[in-house]
Amino acid sequence: MITNLNTVALYVTDQQRSTRFYVDDLGFDLRTDGDMGEMGRWIEVAPKGAQTGFVIADAAKFGKADQVGKSADVTMNCTDVVGLHAELVAKGVQVTEPETQPFGTFIKVTDPDGHEFAISQS
């Protein structure tokens, strides 16, 4: 039986830059940073306490150069989207203004390779 979603791969051009973005700017934990030989490094990041994380994968080494900045729709939750918005703007993160819809308030964040994520207030 499947118990949880473990990781989602994000194909990037610069693993170090992307890791800094997720860890330093978004406050994720660095779960794993290991050598994979010819495939480069296996880097996993995730929100603190989360079951599911992202694998920051070197697009070129995985043969996925055409997948940089393309991903499935991913939505994350937070408790204070307006506060998070202010924090991210102060760090220079590309983020939209908070938007309120009938289903809630959210922002969209773009990582250095063009992956866009929605973050909504839970």
Side-chain angles (χ1 to χ4, degrees):
M1 172 166 44
I2 297 171
T3 59
N4 65 291
L5 183 63
N6 188 46
T7 59
V8 174
L10 298 178
Y11 297 105
V12 304
T13 55
D14 183 330
Q15 284 181 302
Q16 195 60 40
R17 177 185 69 182
S18 293
T19 300
R20 280 192 310 269
F21 173 80
Y22 287 98
V23 173
D24 297 342
D25 293 342
L26 297 187
F28 283 24
D29 285 334
L30 177 63
R31 285 187 176 170
T32 305
D33 186 350
D35 183 15
M36 291 180 54
E38 292 180 16
M39 295 298 289
R41 293 163 50 207
W42 181 270
I43 300 173
E44 262 183 59
V45 296
K48 294 184 186 311
Q51 286 186 327
T52 304
F54 291 129
V55 171
I56 307 298
D58 184 317
K61 291 183 179 173
F62 276 82
K64 301 282 188 174
D66 62 334
Q67 295 298 308
V68 171
K70 299 176 183 175
S71 65
D73 291 335
V74 175
T75 302
M76 296 177 256
N77 290 328
C78 71
T79 56
D80 177 11
V81 77
V82 173
L84 177 61
H85 175 266
E87 181 181 323
L88 295 177
V89 166
K91 291 180 178 180
V93 172
Q94 184 178 339
V95 59
T96 63
E97 290 296 319
E99 183 177 334
T100 300
Q101 295 290 332
F103 56 83
T105 302
F106 66 95
I107 55 177
K108 290 187 179 178
V109 175
T110 303
D111 82 358
D113 284 289
H115 297 282
E116 184 179 80
F117 308 101
I119 303 175
S120 61
Q121 189 163 330
S122 53

